[in-house]
Amino acid sequence: MSTTEDRWFHRQGELARDGWESVVDASLPGWEHTGIRIADLTDGDTMDLADRGVERIIVPLAGTFRIVHHHHPGEWHTRLHGRSSVFDGPTDVLYLGAGTTAAITGEGRVAVAEARTTEHRPWKYIPPQETPVELRGAGRSSRQVHNFGTPQALDAVRLIVCEVITPAENWSSYPPHKHDENKPGDESRLEEIYYFESAPARLEGNPDAADGAFGMFSAYSSPAGNIDINARVGTGDIALVPFGYHGPAVAAPGYDLYYLNVMAGPDPERAWLISDDPAHAWVRQTWDGQEFDSRLPYTHDDKKGIRR
């Protein structure tokens, strides 16, 4: 691995702290605006969220959770019904504004996306049916995006969060793009976290191959800074993108790829504005006329008890 890859790419568990499997926050050198926490909970476990200087979105990855959150004028209890896995369609999520403390209990795997701010927004429970589901790209660039924490869907201060499902053999985060310059109306400055999971392909995968599931992820330098990530990624791995072009994220044959994106930055406007790498921007034009991948969207059919 290169020096920059060591700094900006972390395997599952390398950022473990205080009972969390992974913690990304401003204590990491060169990191300032965003954070993420990942935990596996069993019955009886409690994970505390004590920092009042962040806004958060609590995202069930797999399982069901209970959140006790404290903020003026009292205490609330919210149940997150969750889902079986990240490949089972959208989940319900909970947004908590700055000034809030909380405790998470339950069973399963949970993510907490964070952005530093002292400005307050009201808390909000978002059921899965209120999550905008976007089918993006075409052909082998088809992917499914859950936009529960984007500016169009949620009134937050800094935090921008979404999750992306890329079926086996498809490419996402492509063409490579960046958001590391303040160009009003064209590009915004945003740190970005990629948290990955991978599993045998939904329709044709072999469940016994789960331990070997993987994809690939790349990030490279722009005028704003030097970064070099070319990594095989699997469940629990985290890539940090402080600047530079990033993409593609590629799902290997036989394995679906998921990632949770957490973004925030210093610009006064909360906006996701990107610039494609000029060398590859033309690829978007090739999607015209291509059919969208018929395997998507991935949803959960409660009546039939099947996933598709």
Side-chain angles (χ1 to χ4, degrees):
M1 275 189 188
S2 66
T3 301
T4 55
E5 190 168 334
D6 287 340
R7 183 179 183 186
W8 302 122
F9 181 74
H10 300 274
R11 294 292 178 193
Q12 182 178 25
E14 288 182 354
L15 299 174
R17 189 203 309 169
D18 302 327
W20 297 91
E21 177 186 288
S22 297
V23 177
V24 173
D25 60 19
S27 67
L28 295 179
W31 204 250
E32 184 177 359
H33 302 287
T34 62
I36 195 170
R37 295 170 180 266
I38 305 294
D40 269 312
L41 277 69
T42 58
D43 190 27
D45 291 339
T46 300
M47 302 305 296
D48 292 319
L49 300 171
D51 188 351
R52 294 178 179 270
V54 297
E55 57 181 348
R56 303 179 173 93
I57 300 179
I58 301 173
V59 183
L61 301 170
T64 299
F65 304 93
R66 297 170 298 280
I67 318 299
V68 180
H69 40 113
H70 302 87
H71 39 85
H72 183 78
E75 176 181 289
W76 280 260
H77 295 245
T78 300
R79 178 181 176 87
L80 292 178
H81 300 275
R83 54 192 167 181
S84 298
S85 82
V86 295
F87 300 103
D88 283 293
T91 180
D92 50 353
V93 303
L94 178 64
Y95 170 79
L96 298 175
T100 303
T101 61
I104 306 173
T105 59
E107 293 187 73
R109 191 165 177 83
V110 65
V112 182
E114 301 178 337
R116 299 214 64 81
T117 183
T118 56
E119 188 176 340
H120 177 71
R121 291 288 189 278
W123 70 276
K124 183 178 182 181
Y125 170 77
I126 304 172
Q129 60 268 26
E130 291 184 11
T131 289
V133 176
E134 177 186 1
L135 300 180
R136 186 180 297 172
R140 285 303 183 190
S141 294
S142 302
R143 59 270 203 192
Q144 175 176 333
V145 186
H146 301 156
N147 289 310
F148 53 79
T150 60
Q152 295 74 25
L154 176 68
D155 179 23
V157 181
R158 297 287 183 191
L159 193 57
I160 300 174
V161 184
C162 67
E163 55 185 11
V164 180
I165 293 89
T166 309
E169 301 184 33
N170 284 12
W171 290 44
S172 59
S173 278
Y174 195 76
H177 57 279
K178 71 181 184 73
H179 36 72
D180 56 20
E181 293 184 84
N182 181 13
K183 297 180 179 179
D186 292 318
E187 186 177 343
S188 51
R189 291 177 295 175
L190 296 167
E191 287 181 342
E192 184 164 14
I193 299 169
Y194 279 73
Y195 163 79
F196 296 97
E197 294 202 6
S198 187
R202 171 62 65 228
L203 298 182
E204 67 275 3
N206 176 4
D208 294 333
D211 289 344
F214 75 102
M216 303 296 294
F217 177 74
S218 177
Y220 54 96
S221 302
S222 72
N226 294 322
I227 186 170
D228 182 14
I229 301 173
N230 289 285
R232 176 183 174 125
V233 299
T235 295
D237 294 341
I238 292 175
L240 306 178
V241 184
F243 39 66
Y245 291 103
H246 41 288
V250 184
Y255 303 107
D256 293 338
L257 184 66
Y258 163 95
Y259 51 87
L260 178 67
N261 283 146
V262 183
M263 293 174 277
D267 292 349
E269 182 184 7
R270 176 178 170 247
W272 182 67
L273 300 173
I274 67 172
S275 295
D276 288 338
D277 183 338
H280 306 293
W282 64 270
V283 173
R284 289 189 188 274
Q285 300 172 16
T286 68
W287 299 344
D288 294 341
Q290 289 192 51
E291 292 187 2
F292 194 81
D293 193 321
S294 62
R295 293 174 292 178
L296 296 176
Y298 282 168
T299 62
H300 184 75
D301 189 326
D302 290 318
K303 284 187 177 181
K304 297 180 180 178
I306 61 172
R307 291 169 290 188
R308 63 180 189 274

